[in-house]
Amino acid sequence: MLNVGKIEEGYVLDHIEAGQSLELYKHLGLADMDCTVAMIQNAKSSKMGRKDILKVECGIEELNMDVLAVINHNITVNVVKDGEIVEKKELTLPKQIKNVFKCTNPRCITSIEQELPHIFILADEDKGIYRCKYCEEKVGKGDGSKKKNR
Ligand code: CTP
Ligand code: ZN
């Protein structure tokens, strides 16, 4: 069992669907932030079988929670301060999200009109499904669909 130490301050994003952490890393813009990141992939989990975990050491209030909610609202967001979890955040689904995800439909107007903003709208509140404002395509891979076993 691979062990990664605890963090002092920042976020532990837990219960990420196995295989989703790299996508999260990209959409959260972590490469451009001044923070230390540990990505744990394919960890054993009693609840989920396999899961990913992202540990982000950074000042709190720095992460865009909307991005997390859109990719997968079942992720647990642990907020850590002085080495202790001070909060497990509930992710709330934003009504719409702008210029974070690109529509993948090649026939979508946003693929042709380059200056249009990429806007996704909450289409199904219970399932957390977002669809392109223009063509109704679902958000990238973050549609909650299960990955095949590797
Ligand atoms: N963690 C961390 N640094 C800290 C505190 C916690 O990296 N200073 C990590 C733990 O290693 C664990 C995650 O945060 O991976 C969640 O911790 P905890 O809530 O204690 O675990 P569980 O009770 O298993 O969480 P849950 O009930 O959400 O499944
Ligand atoms: Zn579209």
Side-chain angles (χ1 to χ4, degrees):
M1 177 68 189
L2 170 66
N3 251 322
V4 174
K6 291 185 177 263
I7 62 170
E8 260 306 295
E9 182 164 344
Y11 297 92
V12 178
L13 310 179
D14 198 2
H15 306 122
I16 301 169
E17 194 176 297
Q20 249 184 5
S21 55
L22 188 60
E23 187 192 351
L24 270 181
Y25 177 88
K26 285 185 197 154
H27 286 302
L28 286 168
L30 288 171
D32 302 322
M33 285 170 62
D34 184 26
C35 52
T36 307
V37 179
M39 188 182 294
I40 300 149
Q41 295 186 310
N42 221 29
K44 283 214 172 91
S45 156
S46 50
K47 281 186 217 163
M48 304 175 66
R50 297 281 180 166
K51 68 174 181 182
D52 288 358
I53 307 165
L54 267 179
K55 299 197 182 197
V56 184
E57 186 128 75
C58 64
I60 50 185
E61 304 306 328
E62 279 184 45
L63 283 196
N64 183 346
M65 296 295 156
D66 284 356
V67 172
L68 289 178
V70 173
I71 291 184
N72 186 344
H73 63 286
N74 297 317
I75 294 168
T76 305
V77 180
N78 298 286
V79 184
V80 179
K81 255 190 167 168
D82 300 320
E84 300 291 337
I85 294 174
V86 293
E87 192 187 352
K88 282 184 188 272
K89 263 192 200 286
E90 284 286 317
L91 287 173
T92 52
L93 295 167
K95 290 278 177 250
Q96 67 166 47
I97 187 155
K98 195 170 160 183
N99 290 337
V100 178
F101 302 94
K102 283 206 153 104
C103 183
T104 52
N105 173 7
R107 287 188 298 274
C108 180
I109 181 123
T110 57
S111 305
I112 300 150
E113 307 267 332
Q114 301 290 326
E115 72 288 349
L116 274 181
H118 288 248
I119 297 172
F120 285 84
I121 294 185
L122 181 58
D124 184 330
E125 193 142 11
D126 294 332
K127 293 187 183 141
I129 290 173
Y130 285 81
R131 292 186 181 277
C132 176
K133 180 182 168 183
Y134 309 97
C135 74
E136 305 210 330
E137 180 88 358
K138 279 190 199 171
V139 152
K141 294 174 206 141
D143 59 2
S145 64
K146 281 268 169 288
K147 283 233 151 161
K148 293 214 178 74
N149 286 334
R150 313 164 189 217

